[in-house]
C-alpha cells in the first residue's frame, strides 16, 4: 500500500457538504400535486355519488306533509336542507330545474351555455332519505282554510294528473316574483335585428352586469367577425334613480360609471321610461323632457311585482295582507293570516332586498325551523329563534374583466374593484353553485369562451 512520503503535507479531508435545504419550489410543487390529486379524487367521488343515488324510504302516512311551491333559490335551499326523515315533502313547480340566475347575463351573450347553470330538481330530490314527489305543474289556487292547493299541468307532455287538489300540513311559498314591466310586452325576434342600438332599462346589478356582458360580447367577438359594424353598435343604460347600483358605496358607483364611460356605454340616470313601443321607448329625462330613444334590442331589468298566484292568495286574506308588493311575513317566515303557511324569497315583502343571498339564507333558516318543529312534536324542548339575515357582501361585474365588491369587514365595509375583484367574483359564484356538476360545466364554458371566443351564431 502506498504511503505519503516522509515530510509531505497531509492530504486535506474533503470539505463537509452543506445539508440540502428544502426547496420552496419543491414544496410548492408537492402542494400542487397533492391538491390536484385531492381535487380529482373529490370530483370523482362527487360524480359517482350523484350518479348513484341510494334507495329512498317511501311516503309515510304518519308524517306531516310539507308542500314547497317553486324551484328557485329559496325553494332549493330549503329542499336541500330539510330532513325528509321527519316529513313527507312535495315540490310543485312549472319548471323541473333550478337556475343559477346570477350568471344569466353571461348566457345571453354566449359566454356560458344555459344548461350549465341549470340543476335538475331530480338531482336534488333523489339524494334525500325519503322519496320527494315532484309535480311539474303550476299552482293555480291556495285555500288556507282547507289547507289545500290546486295545481294544473302546464308541461308540453301532459302527465297522468293534469288538474288536481293537494292537501298540506305545511305550505312553503317560494314562487318568486314576476318582472315589473309597467305594461310592456317583449318584442318579436325579428325586431331584435332591426337596429344596432341596445337599450338596458334598470341600473341595478342585473342591468349593469347585462350591459357589461353585452359590451364584452360586442368588443371581443362581434367586432372581430363583423368589423364593418363595429362603430355602429351602441349600448345605453337607463336608470330612474340618480345613480346606478344604489346598494354599493359611492366610490364603487363612480368607478362603475367611469368604466362604462371608457367602454362607451351611455348611462342615463334620473331618466324614467314612460312608454314602450315596438321600435322606440319614450323617457322623461332629468329636465322633465320627453325624449324618444330608438332601439333594436330592449332588455328590461327594473324590478319585481307579485305573481298572479301570490296576488290571488293576498286577496283571500286581504285583512292581514295589506301590502301590494308581496306577502307579509313575520320574523319566523310565517305568512300573516294563513296558518301553517310560510313564504320565502321574492314572493315576500319585507325589510330585506329581493336577492338570491336573502332567499338562500331564508331557505336554510326555514329548514332549521322545520327541524325544530319535528323535535318539539317528539317532546323535546326546542326554542325557535327569529330569522336574522347576515349580509355577505355585494358583487357586480362591470365589463372588461373588471368587477366591484362591497364586503363586510369588522364593523364596516371594504370596497374594492378591478381585475383581482373579477377573479374573486367568479370564484364566489362558482362556490355558491349547488352542485359539482354545474361548477365543472361553468368553468368549462369560461375556458371555451376564452380559447375559442363566444358563439356568434343564431338559432
Amino acid at each position: 500500500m502506498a504511503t505519503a512520503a516522509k515530510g509531505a503535507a497531509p492530504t486535506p479531508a474533503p470539505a463537509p457538504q452543506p445539508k440540502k435545504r428544502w426547496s420552496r419550489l419543491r414544496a410548492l410543487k408537492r402542494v400542487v400535486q397533492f391538491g390536484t390529486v385531492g381535487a380529482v379524487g373529490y370530483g370523482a367521488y362527487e360524480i359517482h355519488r350523484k350518479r348513484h343515488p341510494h334507495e329512498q324510504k317511501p311516503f309515510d302516512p304518519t308524517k306531516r306533509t310539507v308542500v314547497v311551491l317553486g324551484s328557485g333559490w329559496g325553494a332549493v335551499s330549503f329542499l336541500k336542507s330539510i330532513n325528509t326523515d321527519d316529513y313527507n315533502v312535495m315540490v310543485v313547480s312549472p319548471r323541473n330545474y333550478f337556475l343559477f340566475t346570477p350568471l344569466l347575463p353571461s348566457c345571453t351573450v354566449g359566454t356560458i351555455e344555459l344548461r350549465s347553470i341549470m340543476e335538475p330538481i331530480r338531482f336534488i330530490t333523489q339524494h334525500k332519505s325519503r322519496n320527494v314527489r315532484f309535480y311539474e305543474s303550476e299552482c293555480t289556487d291556495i285555500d288556507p282554510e282547507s289547507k289545500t292547493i290546486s295545481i294544473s299541468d302546464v308541461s308540453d307532455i301532459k302527465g297522468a294528473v293534469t288538474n288536481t287538489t293537494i292537501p298540506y300540513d305545511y305550505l312553503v311559498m317560494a314562487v318568486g316574483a314576476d318582472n315589473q314591466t309597467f305594461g310592456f310586452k317583449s318584442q318579436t325576434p325579428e325586431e331584435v335585428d332591426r337596429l344596432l342600438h341596445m337599450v338596458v332599462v334598470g341600473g341595478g346589478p342585473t342591468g349593469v352586469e347585462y350591459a357589461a356582458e353585452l359590451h364584452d360580447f360586442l368588443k371581443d367577438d362581434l367586432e372581430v367577425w363583423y368589423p364593418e359594424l363595429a362603430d355602429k353598435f351602441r349600448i345605453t343604460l337607463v336608470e330612474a334613480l340618480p345613480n346606478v347600483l344604489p346598494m354599493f358605496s359611492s366610490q364603487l358607483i363612480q368607478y362603475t360609471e367611469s368604466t362604462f364611460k371608457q367602454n362607451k356605454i351611455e348611462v342615463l340616470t334620473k331618466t324614467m321610461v314612460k312608454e314602450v313601443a315596438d321600435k322606440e321607448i319614450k323617457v322623461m329625462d332629468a329636465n322633465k323632457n320627453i325624449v324618444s330613444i330608438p332601439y333594436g334590442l330592449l332588455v328590461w331589468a327594473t324590478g319585481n311585482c307579485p305573481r298572479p298566484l301570490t296576488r290571488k292568495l293576498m286577496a283571500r286574506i286581504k285583512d292581514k295582507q295589506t301590502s301590494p308588493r308581496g306577502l307579509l311575513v313575520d320574523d319566523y317566515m310565517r305568512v300573516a293570516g294563513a296558518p301553517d303557511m310560510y313564504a320565502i324569497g321574492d314572493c315576500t315583502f319585507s325589510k330585506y332586498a329581493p336577492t338570491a343571498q336573502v332567499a338562500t339564507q331564508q331557505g336554510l333558516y326555514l329548514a332549521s325551523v322545520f327541524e325544530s318543529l319535528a323535535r318539539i312534536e317528539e317532546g323535546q324542548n326546542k326554542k325557535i329563534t327569529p330569522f336574522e339575515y347576515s349580509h355577505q357582501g355585494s358583487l357586480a361585474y362591470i365589463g372588461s374583466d373588471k368587477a366591484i365588491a362591497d364586503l363586510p369587514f369588522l364593523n364596516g365595509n371594504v370596497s374594492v374593484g378591478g381585475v383581482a375583484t373579477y377573479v374573486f367574483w367568479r370564484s364566489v359564484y362558482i362556490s355558491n353553485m349547488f352542485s359539482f356538476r354545474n361548477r365543472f360545466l361553468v368553468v368549462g364554458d369560461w375556458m371555451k369562451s376564452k380559447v375559442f371566443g363566444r358563439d356568434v351564431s343564431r338559432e
Side-chain angles (χ1 to χ4, degrees):
M1 177 179 294
T3 58
K6 188 177 180 179
T11 304
Q17 295 292 327
K19 293 182 179 180
K20 290 186 177 179
R21 295 181 179 178
W22 184 258
S23 170
R24 290 185 179 180
L25 185 60
R26 183 178 298 177
L28 178 61
K29 182 180 177 182
R30 286 292 177 87
V31 170
V32 172
Q33 288 174 339
F34 283 125
T36 302
V37 171
V40 171
Y42 171 74
Y45 166 75
E46 280 293 306
I47 292 172
H48 181 272
R49 188 175 69 87
K50 291 294 185 181
R51 296 274 291 174
H52 299 85
H54 54 73
E55 187 176 349
Q56 294 178 304
K57 301 173 186 176
F59 259 51
D60 186 345
T62 66
K63 303 288 185 183
R64 291 180 179 270
T65 298
V66 179
V67 176
V68 182
L69 302 183
S71 56
W73 282 95
V76 170
S77 178
F78 173 79
L79 186 59
K80 286 176 71 70
S81 302
I82 184 70
N83 186 352
T84 52
D85 285 333
D86 298 325
Y87 300 96
N88 297 314
V89 178
M90 297 181 182
V91 181
V92 178
S93 177
R95 66 184 192 193
N96 64 355
Y97 57 88
F98 164 77
L99 192 65
F100 193 85
T101 50
L103 287 177
L104 268 178
S106 299
C107 294
T108 60
V109 297
T111 305
I112 293 175
E113 294 288 341
L114 183 60
R115 284 198 169 274
S116 296
I117 62 171
M118 295 166 61
E119 175 79 2
I121 296 299
R122 177 72 64 178
F123 288 6
I124 300 171
T125 60
Q126 283 297 99
H127 290 275
K128 306 299 290 185
S129 60
R130 190 180 305 280
N131 180 38
V132 176
R133 293 180 183 173
F134 176 79
Y135 295 93
E136 189 176 347
S137 303
E138 182 177 357
C139 180
T140 57
D141 194 17
I142 301 171
D143 189 342
E145 294 182 0
S146 64
K147 296 177 73 171
T148 60
I149 64 169
S150 300
I151 66 172
S152 177
D153 188 351
V154 295
S155 62
D156 295 333
I157 302 175
K158 300 296 181 184
V161 180
T162 54
N163 295 278
T164 190
T165 300
I166 298 176
Y168 65 84
D169 292 301
Y170 297 109
L171 181 67
V172 177
M173 284 277 291
V175 296
D178 272 341
N179 293 323
Q180 176 59 284
T181 62
F182 306 102
F184 161 67
K185 299 297 181 183
S186 59
Q187 71 278 1
T188 63
E190 290 77 14
E191 293 167 348
V192 175
D193 301 319
R194 182 176 177 273
L195 296 170
L196 297 179
H197 183 198
M198 289 73 171
V199 177
V200 180
V201 180
T206 301
V208 167
E209 288 192 346
Y210 187 87
E213 292 279 2
L214 194 58
H215 162 267
D216 289 354
F217 178 49
L218 300 179
K219 187 70 177 177
D220 298 342
D221 296 275
L222 290 188
E223 192 172 282
V224 175
W225 300 109
Y226 301 97
E228 70 278 8
L229 300 177
D231 295 334
K232 300 178 182 178
F233 286 115
R234 288 193 300 135
I235 303 174
T236 300
L237 182 68
V238 178
E239 170 55 48
L241 296 177
N243 51 259
V244 299
L245 300 175
M247 68 289 297
F248 285 84
S249 63
S250 58
Q251 58 263 41
L252 289 183
I253 293 173
Q254 294 173 3
Y255 179 72
T256 299
E257 291 179 346
S258 65
T259 300
F260 271 26
K261 186 175 181 180
Q262 293 174 5
N263 293 338
K264 298 180 180 179
I265 299 175
E266 186 179 11
V267 178
L268 302 178
T269 54
K270 299 181 182 178
T271 302
M272 184 177 296
V273 176
K274 289 296 184 180
E275 183 182 335
V276 178
D278 288 344
K279 301 175 183 179
E280 65 178 9
I281 60 172
K282 291 185 178 180
V283 302
M284 184 170 68
D285 62 17
N287 298 319
K288 307 299 182 182
N289 298 319
I290 301 298
V291 180
S292 295
I293 302 177
Y295 68 87
L297 173 67
L298 181 63
V299 179
W300 201 265
T302 57
N304 298 333
C305 66
R307 293 189 186 276
L309 175 66
T310 306
R311 292 198 297 268
K312 195 173 183 179
L313 174 62
M314 291 162 61
R316 278 181 177 265
I317 46 179
K318 58 184 178 182
D319 56 326
K320 298 292 185 180
Q321 295 293 329
T322 56
S323 172
R325 299 179 62 179
L327 288 168
L328 295 175
V329 296
D330 63 12
D331 291 338
Y332 301 88
M333 301 294 108
R334 296 175 298 196
V335 177
D340 298 323
M341 188 184 302
Y342 298 80
I344 54 179
D346 291 0
C347 65
T348 64
F349 174 61
S350 65
K351 58 185 177 182
Y352 306 112
T355 65
Q357 188 177 166
V358 171
T360 300
Q361 292 188 29
Q362 288 176 339
L364 293 172
Y365 164 78
L366 193 56
S368 70
V369 168
F370 277 84
E371 176 76 19
S372 298
L373 289 174
R375 302 290 79 82
I376 291 172
E377 288 187 357
E378 294 174 354
Q380 297 183 25
N381 185 16
K382 278 281 186 178
K383 183 180 179 182
I384 301 177
T385 58
F387 172 72
E388 291 186 6
Y389 172 63
S390 174
H391 186 60
Q392 302 300 311
S394 300
L395 294 166
Y397 179 61
I398 60 173
S400 299
D401 292 342
K402 296 178 183 177
I404 57 174
D406 256 340
L407 305 173
F409 183 73
L410 298 178
N411 294 324
N413 268 20
V414 174
S415 301
V416 291
V419 177
T421 310
Y422 166 69
V423 176
F424 175 71
W425 171 81
R426 281 196 163 183
S427 65
V428 168
Y429 277 12
I430 285 294
S431 64
N432 281 328
M433 288 190 143
F434 282 122
S435 72
F436 177 81
R437 168 184 173 273
N438 287 113
R439 295 187 190 108
F440 182 84
L441 291 174
V442 169
V443 171
D445 287 342
W446 279 337
M447 293 175 65
K448 282 191 302 182
S449 65
K450 278 296 182 184
V451 175
F452 301 108
R454 298 171 181 84
D455 187 1
V456 297
S457 61
R458 181 169 59 88
E459 295 181 357

